Amino acid sequence: MDALRRNHVVVTGQEEGPVIMLANGFGCDRNMWRLVAPVLARDFKVVHFDHVGTGASDPSAWSDERYSSLDGYAEDVLEICRELGLGPVVFVGHSVSSVFGVLVAGWEPELFEKLVLLTPSPRYIDDAGYRGGFSAEDIDELLESLDSNYLGWSASLAPVVMGNPERPELTEELTNSFCRVDPHVARVFARATFLSDNRADLPRVAVPTRVIECAQDVIAPREVGAFVHESIPGSELVTLDAIGHCPQLSAPEITAEAIASFAARDR
Amino acid sequence: MMSRPGHEHSRAAGSRITHATPGSHLTYASLLEDNAEDLYENAPCGYLFTLMDGQIVKANRTLLGWLNRSHEEVVGHMRFADLLTVGGKLYHETHFAPLLRLQGEVSGIALDLKAADGTRLPVLVTSTVMTDNDENPVMVRTTVSDARDRRSYETELLRAREEAEHERERFKRLASTLQRTLVPPALTPPPNLDVAAHYHIASRDEVSGDFYDLFPLVAGGGWGLFLGDVCGKGAPAAALTSLARYSLRAAAVYDPDPVTVLNNLNTVLNTARYDEDPRFCTVVFGKLTPEREGFTVTLASGGHPNALLLRAHGTAEYLPTPGGQLIGVLPDPDVATTTVHLTAGDTLLLYTDGLTEAHTSANADDRYGDEALLNFANVLAPGTAAETVAAIAELLDAFGDGLDDDTAVMALGVPSR
């Protein structure tokens, strides 16, 4: 299948600039980057896409089997990189997308020039000698929240909207559209995200990596940031003076700067 | 601190309630008083103001009451997310907060407040971002409303939906298991004859009754074969299919003459009356007799579409069996027969009418039809049994939603030398 169409890949920014690929995490769609992308687009070529099952991706591409594991999403990233053929990219993964970056870096390191992990967590559930911040019951509670909030989603509208990425006005009419996901898809994605354990994949990352964490983040607390940093050989850790799990929205200037300064280094 | 009697505005309001009992208008007046402070503190919903980092800078009495917390505990010391369950925090961080930033407002989100004693209160939350003169976000204004009743109703709906999905899954499994038992797991062709078959399922939700088989005959040698289509869908069709299959097998043991076999099936279907359903089918039964060169096939048809013969030299023709009547309707139906000799490279194709009745356009009258099938076969011929069935299977797939009935196909081919 054509990965560029499947994930509705869009390339903006500088034609000749170094390539930055932005991948959003679980929850909302590519709009997560809309305060940061224009800043990056001044100096870089910027690649955006939506994970299958979200945003403007092809709804027919969804498969319970493929997307029940993080490998499925990571394989999509790998296929997009191959099809784009833009050479090694600077991959910026937010939240669970940082894990996709880690996986692809382990499989085919030559696809990435650098890796930026924004508020990453390799495992959300506490384990012996490791504090991810959550218990299995907490994750069940999240699934409950998903079940009680079908954000702006309705079975009758979703195919129309999702099938018309070229007509964004259709989406504008609906509230909460940035986080619109088929509740079933949201459930599968949430389970894959919050029940995963990718700690063992971190040491395999051999491309230059910058970990960016927030000063206060309930989803990826400081000790998780430190764990990721210590587990990836030669990585660096930047702590943003920001609160919450999505600094690209709450503190876009310093987030863009933290990405751009790393992406531009050694050129 | 509910009222401040004597306020000018309240007196004006009170004067409108003239029908009230004497002396009571002052009480009404004080209740209706335009007291913003009171309205805010004791509104029937929780109010709070937070900074952009979530820190609570103001919360009303209603909310504090729900939380069972003091003003000092909450204001200036907690963030909005701290009021939520852990799952709610996750949801807040991954959906609520990003949406609020992206849209400037979020409405009607279902979350659970966690009170000081650990009890949970289902609420609906609506937030709007307040901006300064330069459109910079500065604060968030949030209302929280009690959603206990609504949530329990929604939980009930969800439960019902899950139950329905579960039932549907169970039914699908049942249908596909049943469907599988209606077609033989393997066909037993004679030596020097290739056989291939295909069953196209139009709907996973419903069993439809097409059937076929090919098996050695005990009495008098040779092989028996049949292919048919029962009326109706669902469980009655499945039961009828099963009845037709074992009746045909049993009848063939008793006397393999094709006309006799179909007459016996007709008797069975006519006597096995089940009150509610009409029980009939179209069916073709054949007897294969090996010859020195190839096979002789005698076909008897009870209202079934004509078999197709793909000749070794590259043409195709129907084997007409005109006048054959449905099996199971009349006490003594007409059964039409035809006999054909298959030699090296010839292939005989049997099919059910799902194939020719397939819709080829949105117009309900546009069906694939006999002529199109003959043209298709003419292009295809010559072809082995496997090639022929593969080509028909591909054609059936190509019909997509136009194919609304199950379709069975079976081909018998004498290998070329």
Side-chain angles (χ1 to χ4, degrees), chain B residues 310-329:
Chain B
L310 281 73
R311 286 291 192 192
H313 56 71
T315 62
E317 65 202 74
Y318 280 112
L319 299 176
T321 40
Q325 293 175 318
L326 292 174
I327 303 298
V329 180

PDB file of all heavy atoms in Angstrom, chain B residues 310-329:
ATOM      1  N   LEU B 310     -16.827 -26.008 -21.338  1.00  0.00           N
ATOM      2  CA  LEU B 310     -15.703 -25.329 -21.974  1.00  0.00           C
ATOM      3  C   LEU B 310     -14.928 -26.392 -22.754  1.00  0.00           C
ATOM      4  O   LEU B 310     -14.323 -27.290 -22.167  1.00  0.00           O
ATOM      5  CB  LEU B 310     -14.796 -24.669 -20.930  1.00  0.00           C
ATOM      6  CG  LEU B 310     -15.277 -23.343 -20.348  1.00  0.00           C
ATOM      7  CD1 LEU B 310     -16.445 -23.546 -19.389  1.00  0.00           C
ATOM      8  CD2 LEU B 310     -14.122 -22.638 -19.631  1.00  0.00           C
ATOM      9  N   ARG B 311     -14.986 -26.271 -24.050  1.00  0.00           N
ATOM     10  CA  ARG B 311     -14.391 -27.302 -24.897  1.00  0.00           C
ATOM     11  C   ARG B 311     -12.879 -27.128 -25.050  1.00  0.00           C
ATOM     12  O   ARG B 311     -12.366 -26.013 -24.984  1.00  0.00           O
ATOM     13  CB  ARG B 311     -15.041 -27.262 -26.287  1.00  0.00           C
ATOM     14  CG  ARG B 311     -16.458 -27.821 -26.321  1.00  0.00           C
ATOM     15  CD  ARG B 311     -16.431 -29.316 -26.098  1.00  0.00           C
ATOM     16  NE  ARG B 311     -17.742 -29.917 -26.396  1.00  0.00           N
ATOM     17  CZ  ARG B 311     -18.063 -31.170 -26.066  1.00  0.00           C
ATOM     18  NH1 ARG B 311     -17.179 -31.936 -25.439  1.00  0.00           N
ATOM     19  NH2 ARG B 311     -19.250 -31.645 -26.361  1.00  0.00           N
ATOM     20  N   ALA B 312     -12.234 -28.263 -25.321  1.00  0.00           N
ATOM     21  CA  ALA B 312     -10.775 -28.265 -25.473  1.00  0.00           C
ATOM     22  C   ALA B 312     -10.338 -27.371 -26.626  1.00  0.00           C
ATOM     23  O   ALA B 312      -9.270 -26.763 -26.587  1.00  0.00           O
ATOM     24  CB  ALA B 312     -10.280 -29.688 -25.692  1.00  0.00           C
ATOM     25  N   HIS B 313     -11.169 -27.258 -27.644  1.00  0.00           N
ATOM     26  CA  HIS B 313     -10.748 -26.463 -28.813  1.00  0.00           C
ATOM     27  C   HIS B 313     -11.017 -24.966 -28.643  1.00  0.00           C
ATOM     28  O   HIS B 313     -10.845 -24.184 -29.571  1.00  0.00           O
ATOM     29  CB  HIS B 313     -11.405 -27.009 -30.093  1.00  0.00           C
ATOM     30  CG  HIS B 313     -12.896 -27.068 -30.019  1.00  0.00           C
ATOM     31  ND1 HIS B 313     -13.681 -25.949 -30.043  1.00  0.00           N
ATOM     32  CD2 HIS B 313     -13.750 -28.121 -29.890  1.00  0.00           C
ATOM     33  CE1 HIS B 313     -14.955 -26.297 -29.940  1.00  0.00           C
ATOM     34  NE2 HIS B 313     -15.023 -27.630 -29.844  1.00  0.00           N
ATOM     35  N   GLY B 314     -11.476 -24.564 -27.473  1.00  0.00           N
ATOM     36  CA  GLY B 314     -11.496 -23.132 -27.193  1.00  0.00           C
ATOM     37  C   GLY B 314     -12.843 -22.439 -27.294  1.00  0.00           C
ATOM     38  O   GLY B 314     -12.889 -21.216 -27.323  1.00  0.00           O
ATOM     39  N   THR B 315     -13.944 -23.168 -27.358  1.00  0.00           N
ATOM     40  CA  THR B 315     -15.253 -22.510 -27.331  1.00  0.00           C
ATOM     41  C   THR B 315     -16.016 -22.984 -26.094  1.00  0.00           C
ATOM     42  O   THR B 315     -15.618 -23.934 -25.440  1.00  0.00           O
ATOM     43  CB  THR B 315     -16.095 -22.844 -28.579  1.00  0.00           C
ATOM     44  OG1 THR B 315     -16.329 -24.261 -28.591  1.00  0.00           O
ATOM     45  CG2 THR B 315     -15.404 -22.405 -29.845  1.00  0.00           C
ATOM     46  N   ALA B 316     -17.122 -22.281 -25.816  1.00  0.00           N
ATOM     47  CA  ALA B 316     -17.938 -22.657 -24.662  1.00  0.00           C
ATOM     48  C   ALA B 316     -19.390 -22.755 -25.098  1.00  0.00           C
ATOM     49  O   ALA B 316     -19.816 -22.052 -26.020  1.00  0.00           O
ATOM     50  CB  ALA B 316     -17.791 -21.631 -23.560  1.00  0.00           C
ATOM     51  N   GLU B 317     -20.152 -23.620 -24.475  1.00  0.00           N
ATOM     52  CA  GLU B 317     -21.578 -23.744 -24.799  1.00  0.00           C
ATOM     53  C   GLU B 317     -22.352 -24.160 -23.556  1.00  0.00           C
ATOM     54  O   GLU B 317     -21.793 -24.798 -22.656  1.00  0.00           O
ATOM     55  CB  GLU B 317     -21.782 -24.777 -25.904  1.00  0.00           C
ATOM     56  CG  GLU B 317     -21.393 -26.183 -25.465  1.00  0.00           C
ATOM     57  CD  GLU B 317     -21.077 -27.106 -26.645  1.00  0.00           C
ATOM     58  OE1 GLU B 317     -20.000 -26.953 -27.257  1.00  0.00           O
ATOM     59  OE2 GLU B 317     -21.915 -27.958 -26.917  1.00  0.00           O
ATOM     60  N   TYR B 318     -23.621 -23.746 -23.504  1.00  0.00           N
ATOM     61  CA  TYR B 318     -24.476 -24.207 -22.418  1.00  0.00           C
ATOM     62  C   TYR B 318     -24.956 -25.618 -22.719  1.00  0.00           C
ATOM     63  O   TYR B 318     -25.081 -26.010 -23.884  1.00  0.00           O
ATOM     64  CB  TYR B 318     -25.691 -23.292 -22.254  1.00  0.00           C
ATOM     65  CG  TYR B 318     -25.382 -22.023 -21.487  1.00  0.00           C
ATOM     66  CD1 TYR B 318     -25.401 -20.787 -22.112  1.00  0.00           C
ATOM     67  CD2 TYR B 318     -25.064 -22.095 -20.131  1.00  0.00           C
ATOM     68  CE1 TYR B 318     -25.109 -19.625 -21.406  1.00  0.00           C
ATOM     69  CE2 TYR B 318     -24.775 -20.938 -19.415  1.00  0.00           C
ATOM     70  CZ  TYR B 318     -24.803 -19.710 -20.057  1.00  0.00           C
ATOM     71  OH  TYR B 318     -24.522 -18.578 -19.357  1.00  0.00           O
ATOM     72  N   LEU B 319     -25.246 -26.388 -21.695  1.00  0.00           N
ATOM     73  CA  LEU B 319     -25.880 -27.695 -21.845  1.00  0.00           C
ATOM     74  C   LEU B 319     -27.314 -27.533 -21.362  1.00  0.00           C
ATOM     75  O   LEU B 319     -27.580 -27.642 -20.161  1.00  0.00           O
ATOM     76  CB  LEU B 319     -25.158 -28.750 -20.999  1.00  0.00           C
ATOM     77  CG  LEU B 319     -23.686 -29.010 -21.328  1.00  0.00           C
ATOM     78  CD1 LEU B 319     -23.092 -30.005 -20.349  1.00  0.00           C
ATOM     79  CD2 LEU B 319     -23.557 -29.525 -22.767  1.00  0.00           C
ATOM     80  N   PRO B 320     -28.239 -27.211 -22.269  1.00  0.00           N
ATOM     81  CA  PRO B 320     -29.586 -26.853 -21.824  1.00  0.00           C
ATOM     82  C   PRO B 320     -30.316 -28.037 -21.189  1.00  0.00           C
ATOM     83  O   PRO B 320     -30.216 -29.163 -21.663  1.00  0.00           O
ATOM     84  CB  PRO B 320     -30.303 -26.428 -23.106  1.00  0.00           C
ATOM     85  CG  PRO B 320     -29.247 -26.343 -24.158  1.00  0.00           C
ATOM     86  CD  PRO B 320     -28.125 -27.224 -23.733  1.00  0.00           C
ATOM     87  N   THR B 321     -30.995 -27.754 -20.113  1.00  0.00           N
ATOM     88  CA  THR B 321     -31.873 -28.736 -19.478  1.00  0.00           C
ATOM     89  C   THR B 321     -33.226 -28.051 -19.285  1.00  0.00           C
ATOM     90  O   THR B 321     -33.598 -27.701 -18.160  1.00  0.00           O
ATOM     91  CB  THR B 321     -31.309 -29.196 -18.118  1.00  0.00           C
ATOM     92  OG1 THR B 321     -30.752 -28.052 -17.446  1.00  0.00           O
ATOM     93  CG2 THR B 321     -30.255 -30.255 -18.268  1.00  0.00           C
ATOM     94  N   PRO B 322     -33.950 -27.809 -20.406  1.00  0.00           N
ATOM     95  CA  PRO B 322     -35.167 -27.007 -20.337  1.00  0.00           C
ATOM     96  C   PRO B 322     -36.315 -27.765 -19.671  1.00  0.00           C
ATOM     97  O   PRO B 322     -36.390 -28.986 -19.769  1.00  0.00           O
ATOM     98  CB  PRO B 322     -35.506 -26.726 -21.801  1.00  0.00           C
ATOM     99  CG  PRO B 322     -34.872 -27.846 -22.551  1.00  0.00           C
ATOM    100  CD  PRO B 322     -33.681 -28.300 -21.770  1.00  0.00           C
ATOM    101  N   GLY B 323     -37.154 -27.019 -18.986  1.00  0.00           N
ATOM    102  CA  GLY B 323     -38.382 -27.613 -18.440  1.00  0.00           C
ATOM    103  C   GLY B 323     -38.240 -28.245 -17.081  1.00  0.00           C
ATOM    104  O   GLY B 323     -39.218 -28.676 -16.499  1.00  0.00           O
ATOM    105  N   GLY B 324     -37.002 -28.326 -16.579  1.00  0.00           N
ATOM    106  CA  GLY B 324     -36.818 -28.899 -15.239  1.00  0.00           C
ATOM    107  C   GLY B 324     -37.500 -28.015 -14.209  1.00  0.00           C
ATOM    108  O   GLY B 324     -37.403 -26.788 -14.282  1.00  0.00           O
ATOM    109  N   GLN B 325     -38.218 -28.630 -13.277  1.00  0.00           N
ATOM    110  CA  GLN B 325     -38.961 -27.842 -12.283  1.00  0.00           C
ATOM    111  C   GLN B 325     -38.313 -27.913 -10.908  1.00  0.00           C
ATOM    112  O   GLN B 325     -37.593 -28.869 -10.594  1.00  0.00           O
ATOM    113  CB  GLN B 325     -40.411 -28.337 -12.220  1.00  0.00           C
ATOM    114  CG  GLN B 325     -41.170 -28.054 -13.519  1.00  0.00           C
ATOM    115  CD  GLN B 325     -42.567 -28.640 -13.512  1.00  0.00           C
ATOM    116  OE1 GLN B 325     -42.776 -29.761 -13.070  1.00  0.00           O
ATOM    117  NE2 GLN B 325     -43.530 -27.865 -14.019  1.00  0.00           N
ATOM    118  N   LEU B 326     -38.613 -26.888 -10.104  1.00  0.00           N
ATOM    119  CA  LEU B 326     -38.068 -26.818  -8.738  1.00  0.00           C
ATOM    120  C   LEU B 326     -38.334 -28.116  -7.987  1.00  0.00           C
ATOM    121  O   LEU B 326     -39.388 -28.728  -8.150  1.00  0.00           O
ATOM    122  CB  LEU B 326     -38.729 -25.676  -7.969  1.00  0.00           C
ATOM    123  CG  LEU B 326     -38.413 -24.248  -8.411  1.00  0.00           C
ATOM    124  CD1 LEU B 326     -39.285 -23.271  -7.625  1.00  0.00           C
ATOM    125  CD2 LEU B 326     -36.945 -23.947  -8.167  1.00  0.00           C
ATOM    126  N   ILE B 327     -37.386 -28.491  -7.138  1.00  0.00           N
ATOM    127  CA  ILE B 327     -37.534 -29.711  -6.357  1.00  0.00           C
ATOM    128  C   ILE B 327     -38.113 -29.343  -4.990  1.00  0.00           C
ATOM    129  O   ILE B 327     -37.577 -28.464  -4.310  1.00  0.00           O
ATOM    130  CB  ILE B 327     -36.166 -30.412  -6.182  1.00  0.00           C
ATOM    131  CG1 ILE B 327     -35.546 -30.721  -7.547  1.00  0.00           C
ATOM    132  CG2 ILE B 327     -36.311 -31.681  -5.343  1.00  0.00           C
ATOM    133  CD1 ILE B 327     -36.351 -31.676  -8.416  1.00  0.00           C
ATOM    134  N   GLY B 328     -39.217 -30.008  -4.625  1.00  0.00           N
ATOM    135  CA  GLY B 328     -39.803 -29.764  -3.305  1.00  0.00           C
ATOM    136  C   GLY B 328     -41.120 -29.021  -3.343  1.00  0.00           C
ATOM    137  O   GLY B 328     -41.696 -28.749  -2.301  1.00  0.00           O
ATOM    138  N   VAL B 329     -41.558 -28.628  -4.570  1.00  0.00           N
ATOM    139  CA  VAL B 329     -42.800 -27.863  -4.660  1.00  0.00           C
ATOM    140  C   VAL B 329     -43.953 -28.769  -5.104  1.00  0.00           C
ATOM    141  O   VAL B 329     -44.972 -28.865  -4.423  1.00  0.00           O
ATOM    142  CB  VAL B 329     -42.648 -26.690  -5.649  1.00  0.00           C
ATOM    143  CG1 VAL B 329     -43.944 -25.900  -5.724  1.00  0.00           C
ATOM    144  CG2 VAL B 329     -41.486 -25.788  -5.225  1.00  0.00           C
TER     145      VAL B 329
END
